[in-house]
Amino acid sequence: MKKIAILISCLLVLLVGACANTSDKAKTKTTTTTIHISAAASLKDTMDDVKPLFEKAYPSIKLSFDFGGSGQIRERVESGAPIDGVLLASKKDADTLSKQKLAENTKEFAGNDLVLIEPKNADQKEGLSLEQLLDNADKIAIGDPESVPAGAYAKQTLENLNLYNTEKAKLVLATDVRQVLSYVEAGNADAGFVYQTDAILSKKVQVKAKIDAKLHDPIAYYSAQVTDSEKKEPTTTFLDFMNKSEAQKILEKYGFKAAD
């Protein structure tokens, strides 16, 4: 009887150990890390598609996003906000963070074009020049050039055409490029400068002019790792993913250009 009791005890110990081991494996298997990415507002729809694709490929990493003007994102990183990585529409902001050693591993992953839009129902003659389109508008929406790259590109365009001082009083400043789009959609502005990718998304606006790239700095998007992030490995995995074919196909779908 003693032998039987000892045998049963041993079996119970083995069984409990096996269950504990299985439980530990299950816990390990379901452990995930959430990383926080701050991205330019013009990337929102793209990220809505990238997120499930990335999380399916890397089930142990979950993505959390916020969106805004690249200058606003830079300021948040400078103030120590809990951000692991950034996707910026501005080389200037990416370089500023890098020079301050607040971001590292900066990499270009996409490009874009600047366009002038008007409401879909706007009654404008065809074949008008950019100068004529601007002259006919009473209100022109642009992102705040101090914090919104699309706004900075728009200001450069106006300056290079010697129109900035003429049109300055008409300008309606927005917090990001998507707000410019909404102003024009609602008819609160007669025209607005947005990216080609933003114009494609809306059925309420029409593109009236594509801006010559020579009139402004090159439009490029940059990814960067926030230096003091405690989740560098999973963040690097995501930022590298933005240059892989899966993410590049989504960017192309939304009208973005391949990185130079």
Side-chain angles (χ1 to χ4, degrees):
M1 291 295 291
K2 286 184 178 180
K3 289 182 178 180
I4 294 173
I6 292 171
L7 182 60
I8 292 173
S9 296
C10 289
L11 289 171
L12 287 171
V13 169
L14 289 171
L15 182 61
V16 171
C19 289
N21 191 39
T22 301
S23 178
D24 288 341
K25 285 182 178 178
K27 287 179 181 177
T28 301
K29 195 172 182 179
T30 57
T31 298
T32 60
T33 300
T34 299
I35 59 173
H36 189 81
I37 306 295
S38 287
S42 51
L43 290 166
K44 185 176 186 315
D45 297 87
T46 306
M47 291 304 105
D48 286 344
D49 281 8
V50 167
K51 185 178 189 294
L53 187 68
F54 175 81
E55 291 180 346
K56 183 178 180 180
Y58 301 91
S60 64
I61 307 173
K62 300 300 178 187
L63 300 175
S64 171
F65 290 100
D66 70 75
F67 300 91
S70 293
Q72 297 168 334
I73 293 171
R74 171 183 51 75
E75 290 174 355
R76 292 186 62 227
V77 173
E78 290 172 336
S79 67
I83 300 169
D84 298 301
V86 294
L87 301 175
L88 303 171
S90 162
K91 188 176 189 301
K92 178 182 176 182
D93 290 311
D95 287 346
T96 298
L97 290 176
S98 180
K99 289 176 182 176
Q100 296 179 85
K101 300 189 184 305
L102 295 175
E104 55 195 17
N105 301 326
T106 302
K107 188 184 300 183
E108 183 179 343
F109 67 91
N112 214 332
D113 289 312
L114 190 69
V115 298
L116 183 77
I117 58 171
E118 291 184 351
K120 192 75 172 180
N121 59 0
D123 185 19
Q124 281 269 37
K125 293 180 180 179
E126 294 299 322
L128 296 180
S129 67
L130 177 60
E131 291 87 343
Q132 290 172 318
L133 290 167
L134 294 170
D135 185 56
N136 289 345
D138 292 324
K139 292 183 179 179
I140 304 166
I142 70 169
D144 185 343
E146 295 300 316
S147 60
V148 183
Y153 300 135
K155 183 180 178 182
Q156 289 173 356
T157 297
L158 293 173
E159 288 175 335
N160 286 323
L161 290 171
N162 295 316
L163 292 174
Y164 183 70
N165 291 332
T166 304
E167 305 295 345
K168 186 177 180 180
K170 300 180 183 179
L171 299 182
V172 179
L173 302 186
T175 56
D176 58 51
V177 71
R178 289 299 173 86
Q179 190 172 65
V180 174
L181 182 65
S182 68
Y183 283 166
V184 179
E185 286 179 329
N188 294 325
D190 305 299
F193 286 92
V194 299
Y195 296 124
Q196 174 73 28
T197 51
D198 299 300
I200 288 173
L201 293 171
S202 177
K203 295 180 179 179
K204 297 180 180 180
V205 302
Q206 56 182 319
V207 174
K208 297 300 293 186
K210 182 177 178 180
I211 309 306
D212 188 335
K214 295 178 182 178
L215 293 173
H216 54 73
D217 289 340
I219 300 174
Y221 289 72
Y222 298 84
S223 63
Q225 166 86 56
V226 175
T227 305
D228 64 0
S229 167
E230 295 179 356
K231 303 172 183 177
K232 288 190 176 182
E233 187 174 339
T235 303
T236 297
T237 299
F238 170 69
L239 298 179
D240 287 346
F241 183 79
M242 291 307 301
N243 284 88
K244 292 185 176 180
S245 60
E246 300 95 325
Q248 289 292 309
K249 286 178 182 177
I250 293 175
L251 286 162
E252 183 181 357
K253 166 188 166 184
Y254 281 96
F256 289 89
K257 297 158 66 176
D260 292 332

